Every structure is written in C-alpha cells, then in structure tokens.
Amino acid sequence: MNLSTSVEEIPHVGPAYQRRLKKLNIKTVGQLIFHFPHRYEDFSNLILISQAEEGGPFSVQGKITDIKTFRAFRRKMMLTQATVEDETGKIKALWFNQPYLINTLKKGTFVCLAGKVKGKKSSKYFSSPAYERIPSNYKEVDFELNHTGGLIPIYPETEGLSSKWLRFIVKPILTELGNKIEDSLPSKISQKYNFLPFQKAIWQIHFPDSLKDAEEAKKRFSFEELFQLALFVLRERMKLAKETAPAIPLDVGLMKEFTESLPYKLTDAQKKSAWQILKDLERPRPMNRLLEGDVGSGKTVVAAMAALNATKSGYQVALLAPTEILAKQHFKTINNLLEKFDINVGLITGKESYYKNQKIERKKLLENVKDGKTNILIGTHAIIQDTDPETPKKTPVQFNNLAFVIIDEQHRFGVEQRAKLITNSYKLKTAQKTIPHFLSMTATPIPRTLSLTIYGDLDLSIIDELPKGRKKIITKIIQPKDKKATYEFIRQQVKEGRQAFVICPRIEPPKASPENLERGLFDERALSWMDVKAVKQEYKKMAEEIFPDLKVGMLHGKMKTQEKENVMTEFKEKIIDVLVSTSVVEVGVDIPNATVMMIEGSEKFGLAQLHQFRGRVGRSDFQSYCFLFTDTEGFIYNRRLKALITCDNGFELAEKDLQIRGPGDFTGQRQWGIPDLAMASLTDTILVSKARNDAKELLEEDPELKNYPLLREKIKEYKTRIHLE
Ligand code: ADP
Ligand code: MG
C-alpha cells in the first residue's frame, strides 16, 4: 500500500463506501489520509460513574447491566436505553433512532461511554454518547480507545460515512504507512518555521496527544497546502511567460474614435480596464488577464474595444461564449458597436453560420476565417477545440493569424482548458509562431484573498462601478403572508408593459442514505431532472393559478438548444410576460425590459448566486425589483440575506459571504478544487504571503523543481483538481 493505492484496495471499503468516499473527493489512500479532521471532541476526562454530573463531556467505563429499545411516547422515534455500572454506581445512556445498538451493546458487555451528561441527581443520563467495547478485565490490561478516550477527531462527513468509520479506517493505514511517507516539504522550510516533522504531524493531526499538537500539525499542513498552491500558480505563469505572442500596437486615435462613437460615456472603471488590456496586448508576451465585473457593468464594450484595436493591426480575434444564445447576442452587440469600422464579424454555432449580418454556409465561413477575411469570429467555445463535440464530424476552425481570444462567462474555465487552448492554438496558427493573448471575462466576484491565492499575480482588471443612471434595484424578502400582494405587484408591472423572471428553487439533493446511493440518485443527471420537475410544477402554478391572465413561459437546462432559443426570443420580443426558469439557464442574456426578478425558495441559494440573478434586471431606466421568496419563518432576519438587501456590490458581497459563512462553506470551493486547509487559511493573510514568498524563492533557485521530485509530483496533481476562472 502507498499513497496512490486506490481506496478499493483498503480492507472494509466496499462499493458503497467507495461511492461515499468519492463524494468527499477521496479516491486514493493519499487523499484519505489528507482528509483532515475539522475539529476534535475532547473525551479525555475519564471519571467514575458516581462522579458524573450534568455537563461534560465525560467518559466512564463499566458493564452494561440492562439495555432495551422502545418507541418514544407519541413520537415517531425509537429510543435505546442502557444502564452501565462500575463499582461506584450506575448511570443510564440514551440513544435516538439507533435500534441496532441493541445488537452491538449486549447485556454483560463492557463499554466506554463518552459524551454529555444531562439531567440531575437520580435521573442523570448520557445523551447519545459515543461508545466502544472494552475488554472485561479493563481494569488490569492496557487497551487503546479510538472513539471514547482522549481527543477524538471529527471529520467532514457525508451521509452514510461517519467520523467513527473514518477513524476506524484511517488509524490502521497511518500505523502501516505513517513512517514510510516521505515529506515533500523542503526541509529548509520546515526548519525555518520549526514545523513538526511530517510523520509526527500526520499522526498528530488525526490523533493528537493534545490540542496544542493538533494545532501545530494543522499549521504545518495549512502552510504546505498554500505553499503547493502558490508553486502551482507561479509555475503556470512562468510557463506562459516563456511563450511569445504577437505585439499588437495601440492605436490611440482609433480608440478615441471608438469611444466617441458610443451612445454613452465609458465609466472610469471601464476605461482603466480597457487601458490595462490594451497595454498588455502591446507586449510580445501572451496576456493572461481576467476581467471581473458585476452583471451589467459593461464588459462587452471593453472587449470590443480591444478586439477592434487588434483587427486594425491585421490580426484575428475569437470571442467565445458559453452558450449559443449568448454567442448570438454578442454577435449582434459587436456588429452594432463596430458598425462604423468596417470589420468583418462572423458567427458560428452548432447549426448556423453568419458572416457580416447574413447567413452563410458553414464551409464558406470557415474559408473566410482561414484566409483571414473574417476579423472577429464569435461562437461557443467549441470553435477552438479540436473537434466540436456537438458536431464531431465537421472540420475544426482554422484561423489565419489569431492573436486574441476572449472568453466570456466561462465559470469553469480551468487551467486545463487554458492549456488545451494554447496547444490548440499552436495547431491553429499558420503564419505566426506565436500563441494568442487571452482575456477571460466573468461576473462571478472572487474575494480578494482568494484571488490573491489562486491567481497569484495573474493580471486582474476589475470593473467595480455600474454605468451612470442605473437605478438601484429594490430588493425585498417576501414572507409567505405577503406572497399574494407581490404577485399582484408583478401583475401591475406587466400591465405597465414590463416583464418578470421567476427562478425556481434549487432542488435539495436527496439524503445520501445507503439505499439512495444504491439507487444512483446522486449523479448529476438525476439531479438536474429533478430541477426540471420543479420548474414544470412552478410553471403550472404560475400559468394556471397565479397569472392565468398573463403569458407565462418556461426555460430549463434539459430543453434542446433550439427550444431554449425560441423561448428566449419570445421573451425578448415580449410575447412572454413571465419567464419561469431554473437557476442553470443563461446568465448573460440581456432583457432590458424585464424589471422583476422573483426567486422562489431563496434560502436555498448562495449569496453570490442570488446577486447574479438580481443582475438580470435593472438593465434599463425602469425601476427594477428583486423579490426573495422564502418559506422559512424568521428568514427575514437572516444575516446573509440582509447583506444582499443593503449591498449591491458583487465584490463586497463575496467578501461578506466569506466572512459570514467561513471559507469552508464559500460557494465554489469544490468548484475551484482548493484543498480544505488552504481554503480555511485564506483569511490568514500572513500565512498566505509567507507561503507565496517561499514558493517564489524556491522557484528562483530551482524553476523545474529538479531537486524536489516529490514536490513536483504533488504540483502535478493540482493541475487536474484546480479550476481557475
Ligand atoms: P456585462 O458586464 O454583464 O457583460 P454588458 O457588456 O452586457 O454587461 O453591458 C450591459 C449593458 O450596459 C449593455 O446594454 C451596454 O450597452 C450597457 N453599457 C455598457 N457600458 C455602458 C456605459 N458606460 N454607460 C451606459 N451603458 C453602458
Ligand atoms: Mg456579459
């Protein structure tokens, strides 16, 4: 057994447990032992039964003299009650809904119980204590307590996979492997910070002798994860910095002409971002920049400006959108923005192709792209992949001299895809020996500490102000009793000519019970079908009961592209008044006439996502509203929701979300694939910067990590797990 051994090979880990472990991202022994406890239960206070008093936690040891299971009076609950005796007295223990205990803790067995004691005097009892069997001659022999003595690790769990089970599995592995695992942290760094040696630390983080030891071990591993993350990010950057890209001269006159042609004035933030991008493009190194800005902050025009500058230098530009609808919308917008500048814009989707506002055969368009006639090509990101998964038989797009790739709203645009893009663009390039500049655009705000860590000094442009004249969106939490009045309000808005979005509550995943796991209820497909069911129900309710007098439409992720497109077009053209939709559908679609965003079951969404929904309205001069429906009593006092009402800046909200919920719960942790401890340490800015500095120093001394093969291997793993925006 070693760190890369699959969990399948661990004794006692059958298919059901393998699946549960997979839910925690654990597939190998290495991942299992790096699944660290997030806290410890202190069961070190071993007392005699006569000393037990309300409070605790305490541990006692003794013999079970009685045990029975019965149904609680008038409640649908099974109670198991045991009596445990030592030489000083007896005490009861009570467990809820664990009738099987009666088979494990038979009368006459000796046990150690640990937990809180409730009740006074003769009615004292242990409430749902942890338990484990001990030898009958426990007074005379030495034995090891794994669950009821000392500091007991509590792990992040998933249903059907308890901390108790994890302890049971992890301990023998550590006993076998603990001393054989080599430390990947360079020893001079360990020495510098006086870290515990790896072998000791890995043991102490799981089964600590004292909380102080646990804390020290945790500090070491937090640093290690941050350090590896920093190494990974810096190395990716170094690789990219070695590449060359076409230097695109900045035509200031042209840019002035462009901004003067706009029907509005650019905001200062837009100007600053555009300037940063244009300056980057002038360099012969590939730009790798992220343009972050709230929904509606006007990222498209900034991208269009840079694209115009590139095309006028004779280069081609690709603009990739996550969906066909958005690609089409961009095509229209870019065509409008660049109308006066004699630019040939093409659109390519799975089914249609356009060239300069006209339909064109796909083959013909591809020729125009290949010979350089098309200056800007817009499409889904399939256009730059080897083969288009939607249309695998069609020939891939070949450019003449692609110099600039813009990627819009690609939330999971990871390092891998970026690398793939780069390799592909090598294949694509014909005339020049360079790779294109990259600009990703996103409306997902990332807290600053997080972006510092995952992007390092990756270039970041932020549009942190909305165009002038936008009205603040009025946000309200709607309690059940106010629903009716709100529907009436929405009806009124529609009567005045406006439109409304209704977002359906996200479906809670079913409980991860062993049966449900067996039934495969957890794959993404099953879940998204449940979402579809919810949206259909909601649609029915809206169309038949609540707004029978209005035209209600429905949109969900399982509809065919063409169907979705038709519905969106109908909404855009005001044939539909109220659009009921799942949360998965198209974030960037622009419907300026929509003024109401109504979210059912809003408590089920994260702050960042609610903010995104809200951003779909308020794109015009009309006053817009965001109604957060809730079924939870007292939800109006929820801190997170309050933040949403008082704050309309996505970056501030992301920061607040991080503070309120803690980094561990921050939406997107799984999405980004950041290790747990690194994530939890993000608020420790000093540790973050120490790790970064050490990573920098090490790379200066040994850029290829030739002397640190173990570390190099570790960093490689990051490539498959980290998904940077
Ligand atoms: P996003 O950043 O969400 O992609 P868009 O680029 O779609 O935002 O812009 C949203 C809307 O704001 C568009 O209709 C666009 O024309 C408009 N817009 C962009 N910049 C400005 C500005 N400086 N002043 C006024 N309106 C603007
Ligand atoms: Mg956009």
Side-chain angles (χ1 to χ4, degrees):
M1 188 189 284
N2 58 45
L3 293 188
S4 47
T5 306
S6 161
V7 290
E8 286 167 38
E9 291 172 43
I10 304 173
H12 310 290
V13 181
Y17 277 109
Q18 284 162 32
R19 266 196 300 278
R20 290 169 209 171
L21 285 167
K22 210 165 151 199
K23 284 192 74 193
L24 295 172
N25 278 334
I26 299 172
K27 292 182 204 111
T28 64
V29 169
Q31 286 162 341
L32 179 64
I33 67 169
F34 279 89
H35 182 68
F36 296 140
H38 56 81
R39 66 185 182 88
Y40 306 90
E41 200 82 73
D42 187 354
F43 288 156
S44 47
N45 192 6
L46 178 64
I47 57 166
L48 295 167
I49 288 177
S50 61
Q51 297 169 315
E53 52 184 70
E54 197 170 15
F58 300 110
S59 295
V60 297
Q61 297 177 346
K63 179 177 172 181
I64 295 185
T65 53
D66 184 40
I67 183 159
K68 60 182 181 238
T69 285
F70 52 93
R71 192 167 290 280
F73 181 58
R74 282 207 301 203
R75 279 206 256 171
K76 286 197 208 120
M77 201 192 307
M78 295 298 286
L79 288 180
T80 302
Q81 181 186 291
T83 308
V84 178
E85 275 184 51
D86 69 5
E87 68 276 18
T88 66
K90 57 180 160 185
I91 190 164
K92 286 202 168 73
L94 213 51
W95 290 275
F96 304 94
N97 286 334
Q98 300 183 49
Y100 51 85
L101 279 182
I102 206 154
N103 304 320
T104 331
L105 302 178
K106 291 209 168 74
K107 195 169 159 178
T109 47
F110 289 81
V111 289
C112 183
L113 297 181
K116 294 243 167 146
V117 172
K118 288 191 180 163
K120 297 210 166 34
K121 295 196 178 141
S122 60
S123 66
K124 276 184 304 226
Y125 66 97
F126 272 98
S127 171
S128 297
Y131 59 88
E132 71 185 292
R133 294 209 297 220
I134 55 178
S136 55
N137 53 346
Y138 67 95
K139 294 261 167 208
E140 289 100 52
V141 296
D142 258 355
F143 56 91
E144 195 181 13
L145 286 169
N146 290 321
H147 310 290
T148 56
L151 290 168
I152 300 302
I154 309 295
Y155 295 91
E157 301 174 353
T158 181
E159 218 160 323
L161 210 158
S162 65
S163 287
K164 188 167 185 171
W165 185 84
L166 282 164
R167 276 172 232 139
F168 166 72
I169 292 295
V170 170
K171 203 165 200 175
I173 294 177
L174 279 188
T175 312
E176 188 188 327
L177 276 188
N179 288 322
K180 289 191 220 145
I181 304 169
E182 281 183 83
D183 194 348
S184 66
L185 195 64
S187 55
K188 62 176 177 206
I189 290 178
S190 283
Q191 279 158 19
K192 178 168 156 191
Y193 297 111
N194 217 354
F195 284 142
L196 293 180
F198 177 84
Q199 283 80 3
K200 181 157 186 217
I202 191 80
W203 191 267
Q204 290 299 327
I205 200 165
H206 285 284
F207 306 106
D209 295 328
S210 69
L211 283 177
K212 192 174 153 284
D213 286 318
E215 207 40 56
E216 273 198 43
K218 194 174 147 192
K219 203 171 114 197
R220 183 208 188 279
F221 287 115
S222 303
F223 177 91
E224 187 169 352
E225 287 184 358
L226 289 170
F227 174 69
Q228 289 172 358
L229 195 57
L231 276 177
F232 168 74
V233 171
L234 291 170
R235 260 168 61 90
E236 287 301 307
R237 260 184 88 68
M238 279 166 54
K239 275 190 222 155
L240 203 62
K242 279 199 208 119
E243 309 283 358
T244 54
I248 304 170
L250 168 53
D251 185 341
V252 179
L254 177 68
M255 293 297 96
K256 242 184 126 175
E257 204 186 319
F258 174 77
T259 46
E260 277 160 13
S261 76
L262 294 171
Y264 45 75
K265 267 182 114 119
L266 290 181
T267 61
D268 287 343
Q270 280 173 315
K271 281 187 210 155
K272 193 171 149 206
S273 301
W275 178 254
Q276 289 168 335
I277 294 164
L278 290 166
K279 283 316 239 179
D280 269 7
L281 294 177
E282 276 192 312
R283 286 191 221 120
R285 299 272 162 247
M287 171 174 78
N288 196 17
R289 186 172 278 279
L290 181 72
L291 178 60
E292 265 193 295
D294 257 356
V295 189
S297 61
K299 295 184 287 291
T300 320
V301 64
V302 173
M305 201 168 159
L308 172 65
N309 188 66
T311 56
K312 285 296 177 185
S313 298
Y315 292 110
Q316 286 177 304
V317 178
L319 171 56
L320 318 183
T323 63
E324 300 205 349
I325 298 175
L326 277 172
K328 260 191 140 159
Q329 186 179 299
H330 276 317
F331 179 63
K332 282 197 193 121
T333 311
I334 301 282
N335 260 323
N336 283 340
L337 286 171
L338 302 182
E339 211 182 343
K340 301 183 188 71
F341 295 90
D342 192 26
I343 300 290
N344 302 332
V345 187
L347 172 73
I348 191 162
T349 74
K351 279 166 299 318
E352 327 167 87
S353 313
Y354 282 81
Y355 182 66
K356 300 213 281 186
N357 271 330
Q358 274 175 11
K359 267 206 167 163
I360 189 176
E361 258 180 80
R362 182 184 166 100
K363 206 170 133 249
K364 197 87 192 65
L365 177 65
L366 290 185
E367 275 168 29
N368 288 346
V369 174
K370 197 174 174 185
D371 64 23
K373 264 198 215 125
T374 304
N375 306 110
I376 301 177
L377 183 65
I378 298 172
T380 58
H381 69 289
I383 67 174
I384 204 153
Q385 282 167 349
D386 274 337
T387 44
D388 181 342
E390 283 175 38
T391 52
K393 286 197 193 75
K394 293 185 180 165
T395 37
V397 183
Q398 278 200 313
F399 288 87
N400 181 32
N401 56 354
L402 179 65
F404 183 24
V405 177
I406 303 160
I407 301 134
D408 190 28
E409 301 289 0
Q410 195 66 47
H411 296 280
R412 303 206 51 172
F413 192 73
V415 169
E416 259 174 301
Q417 286 101 309
R418 201 186 294 269
K420 194 159 191 300
L421 261 180
I422 293 172
T423 353
N424 279 344
S425 58
Y426 268 121
K427 287 181 207 152
L428 295 167
K429 82 184 170 207
T430 48
Q432 86 268 26
K433 287 204 170 10
T434 54
I435 65 166
H437 297 280
F438 286 105
L439 177 70
S440 314
M441 305 196 284
T442 179
T444 310
I446 301 165
R448 263 173 286 277
T449 37
L450 186 57
S451 63
L452 175 76
T453 315
I454 59 180
Y455 297 126
D457 19 71
L458 173 94
D459 307 301
L460 194 66
S461 291
I462 296 181
I463 305 185
D464 54 2
E465 66 183 306
L466 288 180
K468 288 202 182 57
R470 295 264 169 90
K471 289 202 178 73
K472 204 178 152 92
I473 299 165
I474 296 174
T475 306
K476 280 199 172 128
I477 300 174
I478 306 296
Q479 292 180 290
K481 66 176 168 54
D482 299 325
K483 272 190 178 174
K484 259 208 167 117
T486 311
Y487 291 137
E488 210 35 62
F489 180 85
I490 294 173
R491 175 173 284 112
Q492 208 47 48
Q493 285 279 306
V494 173
K495 293 253 160 75
E496 287 170 26
R498 305 285 81 77
Q499 290 163 284
F501 285 102
V502 173
I503 302 287
C504 288
R506 174 188 290 160
I507 300 303
E508 296 281 301
K511 281 213 171 284
S513 63
E515 306 81 65
N516 281 345
L517 279 164
E518 294 303 336
R519 279 157 55 202
L521 271 179
F522 290 91
D523 68 274
E524 303 249 321
R525 270 201 355 255
L527 279 179
S528 67
W529 275 116
M530 291 174 60
D531 275 336
V532 170
K533 201 171 148 218
V535 79
K536 283 185 176 159
Q537 275 168 4
E538 190 69 24
Y539 167 73
K540 205 165 168 266
K541 190 177 104 190
M542 289 287 151
E544 291 171 13
E545 290 167 37
I546 296 167
F547 299 123
D549 49 334
L550 307 181
K551 184 90 177 32
V552 182
M554 171 174 67
L555 201 61
H556 60 72
K558 285 281 176 254
M559 287 161 76
K560 294 216 175 73
T561 316
Q562 195 56 51
E563 291 173 323
K564 278 196 272 188
E565 201 140 324
N566 293 345
V567 173
M568 277 323 290
T569 312
E570 283 182 6
F571 196 44
K572 259 195 147 150
E573 290 171 358
K574 277 176 78 171
I575 298 168
I576 292 172
D577 302 314
V578 176
L579 183 64
V580 182
S581 153
T582 49
S583 59
V584 295
V585 177
E586 274 67 69
V587 282
V589 180
D590 206 16
I591 314 278
N593 190 53
T595 54
V596 177
M597 168 56 62
M598 179 193 132
I599 302 158
E600 281 280 359
S602 57
E603 58 267 57
K604 301 208 174 89
F605 296 102
L607 206 45
Q609 200 176 12
L610 290 172
H611 178 64
Q612 295 265 330
F613 293 148
R614 178 167 63 180
R616 290 199 218 173
V617 295
R619 290 167 162 247
S620 64
D621 299 339
F622 304 118
Q623 177 61 55
S624 287
Y625 305 86
C626 177
F627 297 126
L628 306 164
F629 280 46
T630 170
D631 299 319
T632 314
E633 205 64 50
F635 193 60
I636 192 156
Y637 304 111
N638 181 291
R639 263 172 84 202
R640 287 201 299 133
L641 263 283
K642 272 195 173 159
L644 198 68
I645 291 172
T646 51
C647 175
D648 55 9
N649 177 317
F651 296 93
E652 269 174 48
L653 280 172
E655 213 79 40
K656 277 204 177 115
D657 215 13
L658 186 69
Q659 283 163 17
I660 296 173
R661 293 201 286 171
D665 284 332
F666 187 75
T667 34
Q669 168 172 15
R670 293 284 168 218
Q671 174 178 326
W672 281 310
I674 310 236
D676 292 349
L677 274 184
M679 195 72 197
S681 323
L682 283 180
T683 40
D684 188 346
T685 41
I686 296 172
L687 197 68
V688 170
S689 66
K690 271 185 190 161
R692 282 177 50 72
N693 289 338
D694 286 313
K696 259 191 190 149
E697 260 175 43
L698 192 75
L699 285 177
E700 272 159 27
E701 162 206 319
D702 184 358
E704 296 302 319
L705 298 177
K706 283 201 180 78
N707 300 318
Y708 304 95
L710 276 174
L711 203 50
R712 207 173 58 210
E713 280 307 303
K714 287 252 168 183
I715 309 303
K716 260 196 201 152
E717 278 173 32
Y718 278 71
K719 193 147 196 151
T720 52
R721 69 191 268 196
I722 303 276
H723 310 279
L724 302 187
E725 210 62 3

